[in-house]
């Protein structure tokens, strides 16, 4: 089946109703729920998979009325909601499909991902603007719970002064605010774009609706000696 990715319609939905279609192992072999539609964004494109809870319309033997979701992953059209309690999968499977469930996102976690991920796109744009040339997409985009990293396969991509200038321009832009939108590609099904002012970046992730929501960020550059890559890291200012 295909799980409808409701997070594309509204990245700010914190709760939603859903049907548990079936229980299956996720791509890492963990017991997981596959739903008809979901507000949980799966891991990918530099964002961590969402976390939260699912409440059932009735008590399920050996499981109770709710379960923790500790990660969300994707394979093909299926989105896997990884159960914190591995034993819960078998208890649920006998009841599938389970209609009338309620999903609740760990919103603090998701919102930080949305903010820092959006800021990583903007830092890319401001480095291009500072250098006066376009950059290839990052060879790696990764995000921990509190930091976003973009790595480029280019040694010494930018000098310290220019990087400071780009980071200052980014923070000035964030303080001013600007609308951020996403939309599906007209030709490629499942392919999406991120847009802010004149910038366009291919991305299927979740983003804040306005740059102002990001707040103040601290950007650092790392170019280790002998390495052929340059990495940029973004964190919330303390
Ligand atoms: Zn994105």
């Amino acid at each position: 089946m295909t799980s409808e990715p409701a997070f594309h319609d509204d990245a700010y939905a914190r709760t939603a109703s859903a049907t548990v279609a079936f229980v299956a192992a996720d791509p890492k072999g963990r017991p997981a729920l596959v739903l008809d539609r979901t507000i949980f964004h799966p891991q990918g494109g530099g964002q961590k998979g969402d976390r939260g809870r699912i409440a059932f319309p009735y008590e399920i033997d050996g499981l109770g009325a709710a379960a923790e979701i500790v990660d969300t992953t994707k394979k093909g059209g299926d989105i896997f909601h990884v159960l914190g309690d591995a034993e819960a999968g078998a208890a649920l499977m006998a009841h599938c499909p389970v209609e009338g469930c309620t999903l609740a996102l760990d919103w603090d976690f998701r919102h930080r991902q949305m903010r820092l991920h959006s800021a990583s796109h903007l830092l890319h744009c401001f480095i291009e603007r500072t250098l006066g040339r376009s950059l290839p997409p990052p060879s790696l985009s990764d995000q921990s719970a509190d930091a976003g990293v973009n790595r480029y396969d280019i040694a010494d991509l930018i000098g310290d002064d220019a990087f400071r200038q780009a980071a200052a321009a980014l923070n000035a832009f964030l303080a001013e605010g600007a609308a951020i939108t996403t939309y599906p590609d007209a030709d490629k099904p499942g392919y999406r774009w991120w847009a802010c002012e004149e910038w366009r970046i291919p991305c299927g992730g979740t983003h804040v609706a306005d740059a102002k929501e990001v707040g103040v960020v601290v950007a650092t550059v790392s170019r280790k000696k002998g390495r052929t890559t340059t990495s940029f890291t973004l964190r919330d200012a303390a």
Side-chain angles (χ1 to χ4, degrees):
M1 71 169 282
T2 297
S3 315
E4 184 194 332
F7 45 83
H8 286 322
D9 302 327
D10 181 5
Y12 288 84
R14 303 183 193 195
T15 62
S17 58
T19 295
V20 180
F22 58 90
V23 182
D26 91 322
K28 294 177 185 168
R30 301 170 295 179
L33 309 181
V34 177
L35 315 177
D36 60 336
R37 64 193 299 276
T38 186
I39 52 171
F40 281 45
H41 183 265
Q43 183 241 325
Q47 288 196 323
K48 286 255 179 285
D50 273 322
R51 308 164 178 179
R53 280 174 79 74
I54 182 166
F56 309 114
Y58 50 85
E59 293 240 343
I60 288 171
D61 293 344
L63 177 57
E68 294 291 326
I69 307 295
V70 295
D71 194 7
T72 308
T73 56
K74 184 177 177 176
K75 190 178 180 190
D78 287 340
I79 295 176
F80 297 88
H81 303 73
V82 179
L83 291 161
D85 172 7
E87 304 301 318
L92 254 172
M93 193 133 56
H95 293 264
C96 285
V98 186
E99 295 176 358
C101 302
T102 305
L103 287 168
L105 266 184
D106 177 343
W107 178 248
D108 287 347
F109 178 83
R110 154 69 89 76
H111 193 233
R112 195 173 302 118
Q113 295 274 309
M114 281 165 56
R115 290 190 303 100
L116 290 173
H117 174 73
S118 302
S120 289
H121 286 326
L122 286 165
L123 179 61
H124 176 98
C125 299
F126 276 97
I127 287 172
E128 286 186 330
R129 185 176 277 185
T130 304
L131 293 173
R133 62 184 170 89
S134 65
L135 292 177
S139 57
L140 173 96
S141 282
D142 193 20
Q143 202 152 310
S144 64
D146 65 353
V149 179
N150 272 354
R151 188 175 76 200
Y152 299 82
D153 290 334
I154 301 172
D156 295 325
L157 192 158
I158 188 167
D160 283 337
D161 286 349
F163 183 73
R164 272 194 290 272
Q165 192 185 325
L170 168 64
N171 271 313
F173 185 84
L174 296 175
E176 188 72 23
I180 291 173
T181 55
T182 65
Y183 56 92
D185 189 272
D187 299 322
K188 283 194 219 166
Y191 201 75
R192 295 183 64 85
W193 290 87
W194 169 96
C196 183
E197 299 205 327
E198 75 269 34
W199 297 299
R200 300 285 179 277
I201 290 176
C203 184
T206 59
H207 308 89
V208 291
D210 196 292
K212 198 163 196 156
E213 221 176 296
V214 173
V216 183
V217 290
V218 176
T220 51
V221 57
S222 121
R223 10 174 165 62
K224 293 196 177 92
K225 247 193 179 162
R227 290 266 178 96
T228 54
T229 61
T230 304
S231 297
F232 304 124
T233 304
L234 279 176
R235 285 191 168 78
D236 284 316

